[in-house]
Amino acid sequence: MLLEDLQNWYDVKGIEKIDSPSLLVYPRRVKQNIKRAVSMAGGPEFLQPHVKTFKCQEVVHLMMNEGVYKFKCSTIAEAEMLAMSGAKEVLIAYPMVGPKVDRMVKLILAYQDTQFSCLVDCPAQAKHLSDHTHLAEVYLRVYLDLNVGTDRTGMKPGKNAEALYDLCKSTSHLIIMGLHVYDGHLRQIDIKERRLACNEAFEPVQKLASKMEKKYGKEVSIIAGGSPTFPIHAKREGVVCSPGTFPYWDRGYALSLPEQKFTYAAVLICRVISRPAKDLICVDLGYKAVASEGPLGNRVWFLDYPDLEPVSHSEEHMVLRVQEDMDLTVGKLLYAIPYHICPTVAMYDRVLSIEYEKVSERWVTSARRRRINI
C-alpha cells in the first residue's frame, strides 16, 4: 500500500490555481498498476498493453522500466508515438484500409528499429496489403484477426480462417505472425461465469493455432483479450495478453471487474459554476470534458460526494442533484473518477502529473491527434 493511500491521495496543494476541467495523473499509482499487470501476466514478455487509454510517451517509458517493450494500439498516431518512445514491437489492432495502408508503409520506412504489424481479416484486405508492400519493397507482419463473438472485426475461426492464413503465407511481402483475438463482449461480473464463456470462445482459436502449427511446423503466436478477460488468458501457456485500461483504471471497470485490484490513478477536477436551485448545482464537466457514451448516472463518480446524482448533461455543463445542506457553493472544487477513462483522456491535450501533492510535470497526450508526423 502506498503511504498516500492512508489519506486523501488525490488532494493537490495549490489546486485553486489549476483551471478546470483538468485531468490529473498520479505516477506512483500508475507504476503500482503496471507492476501488478506484469505480475498477473506472468512476466513482461506475456504483456502487450494497448495504449489507447493513456496515449503518451511518459506511461510507455514507465512500462519499459518494468521490461515491457511490445505494445498494441489502434491508430497510426499511436503507433508513431510508440516508435518515438523506443517500442520494439507495435501491433496496430485495426484494419488498414484506404490511405492508412500508405501511411503504414511510411511508418515502417521511417522507424526501422520498431517491428510493426497490423490485422487482416479477409482475402481482399490481404491482397491489398500485399500489393502495396510489394510495390514499396517492404515486408509487413500481420496477425489474423478472429471474431469469437464481439462481431466488430475479424472472421470466425474455421475453414475460411485457415484459407486466409494460407493465403497470407503464400504472399511475397506479408509475414503471418499468428492470431489476434479480442473478446470484449465477455463482461460477466462473476469471474467464474466470465471464465467459462472465455474458455468456450477460445477453444476454436486454440484448435486453429494447433492446426497451423502442424501444417507449417512453426509456433503460432496468439495475442488475446482486453481488460475483462486479461486474468483468464494470463493463465494460458504462451498467450500474450493485451489489456489497456489498467495504468489509469476507471470507475466502470472497478465496479464490473472486482477481481482486478488496480487502483485509480487518473482524476478529473471540476468546479461548481452555479447553484440554480436549492437542490441543484452545475459543474463545468460537460460532454467535452468526460466520456459520455454511457447512461447519465454512469459517467462520473465524485470522490468526496459519492451520492451526487447527475440530472442533465450538455456540452459544457453537468447539473447534479444535491442535498440542501451540502457545502457546495459556487467555486467549490470537486475531484471525480470517470466511468470510462479512455475517451476521457482523448479530450485532453495534456494531463497534469501529481507527485507528493504537487504538479510535477505536464504530460502531452500526443497520440490523441490523428497525425503526429506521418
Side-chain angles (χ1 to χ4, degrees), residues 23 53 268 288-292 299 338-348:
L23 184 60
T53 298
L268 288 164
K288 298 175 183 177
V290 63
S292 303
R299 295 181 185 177
Y339 270 75
H340 196 180
I341 186 62
C342 309
T344 298
V345 171
M347 298 176 184
Y348 294 86

Side-chain angles (χ1 to χ4, degrees), residues 18-26 53-54 248 265-270 285 289 336-338 341-354 361 363 365:
I18 300 176
D19 198 6
S20 59
S22 288
L23 184 60
L24 315 180
V25 172
Y26 299 75
T53 298
F54 50 87
Y248 289 174
V267 178
L268 288 164
I269 60 167
C270 63
L285 204 61
I337 303 292
I341 186 62
C342 309
T344 298
V345 171
M347 298 176 184
Y348 294 86
D349 56 5
R350 66 176 187 174
V351 299
L352 303 181
S353 169
I354 308 297
E361 294 180 304
W363 295 355
T365 318

Side-chain angles (χ1 to χ4, degrees), residues 39-301:
S39 176
M40 289 172 64
E45 66 272 27
F46 299 114
L47 193 62
Q48 189 160 356
H50 203 305
V51 305
K52 65 186 177 70
T53 298
F54 50 87
K55 299 177 183 286
C56 70
Q57 290 185 295
E58 286 81 359
V59 177
V60 175
H61 292 151
L62 292 178
M63 291 185 172
M64 288 180 175
N65 290 340
E66 297 301 322
V68 178
Y69 281 90
K70 53 189 178 185
F71 299 87
K72 197 166 95 167
C73 64
S74 292
T75 70
I76 298 289
E78 289 173 353
E80 186 170 10
M81 180 273 291
L82 285 165
M84 293 167 67
S85 303
K88 292 181 179 178
E89 297 180 31
V90 175
L91 166 61
I92 305 179
Y94 201 85
M96 294 291 103
V97 298
K100 282 187 173 62
V101 178
D102 291 327
R103 293 178 68 198
M104 182 85 189
V105 170
K106 291 178 182 178
L107 196 66
I108 294 171
L109 293 172
Y111 298 96
Q112 297 188 28
D113 290 334
T114 299
Q115 292 184 358
F116 295 99
S117 57
C118 69
L119 301 181
V120 61
D121 70 357
C122 69
Q125 186 184 52
K127 186 177 185 306
H128 187 59
L129 291 171
S130 179
D131 290 345
H132 276 253
T133 50
H134 182 268
L135 286 173
E137 296 184 345
V138 299
Y139 293 91
L140 174 61
R141 295 168 175 83
V142 296
Y143 283 81
L144 183 59
D145 189 23
L146 297 177
N147 176 10
V148 294
T150 305
D151 292 337
R152 190 169 67 181
T153 64
M155 66 189 320
K156 299 289 185 181
K159 291 187 177 181
N160 288 337
E162 293 174 25
L164 181 55
Y165 197 99
D166 292 338
L167 174 61
C168 292
K169 288 288 287 186
S170 70
T171 64
S172 60
H173 283 66
L174 298 185
I175 303 171
I176 182 76
M177 301 296 293
L179 310 176
H180 172 267
V181 183
Y182 179 67
D183 46 12
H185 62 296
L186 302 176
R187 293 171 176 260
Q188 296 86 344
I189 292 179
D190 187 327
I191 185 62
K192 294 179 180 178
E193 294 179 5
R194 200 182 327 141
R195 183 180 295 110
L196 286 173
C198 181
N199 289 340
E200 182 179 354
F202 190 77
E203 185 177 352
V205 175
Q206 191 63 67
K207 288 181 179 178
L208 176 60
S210 298
K211 192 168 186 177
M212 294 301 100
E213 286 175 349
K214 290 178 182 178
K215 185 171 186 177
Y216 292 105
K218 184 179 180 181
E219 182 180 359
V220 173
S221 299
I222 301 177
I223 301 174
S227 295
T229 54
F230 167 43
I232 302 166
H233 290 301
K235 302 297 184 182
R236 306 189 198 282
E237 185 176 354
V239 171
V240 174
C241 301
S242 55
T245 306
F246 68 89
Y248 289 174
W249 212 227
D250 60 22
R251 182 64 175 170
Y253 274 159
L255 293 176
S256 63
L257 307 177
E259 80 285 348
Q260 298 186 36
K261 305 304 180 183
F262 297 109
T263 58
Y264 298 132
V267 178
L268 288 164
I269 60 167
C270 63
R271 284 180 169 85
V272 178
I273 59 171
S274 179
R275 190 146 187 174
K278 290 182 178 180
D279 63 340
L280 296 176
I281 61 170
C282 181
V283 298
D284 54 350
L285 204 61
Y287 295 153
K288 298 175 183 177
V290 63
S292 303
E293 77 273 28
L296 183 58
N298 291 349
R299 295 181 185 177
V300 66
W301 177 67

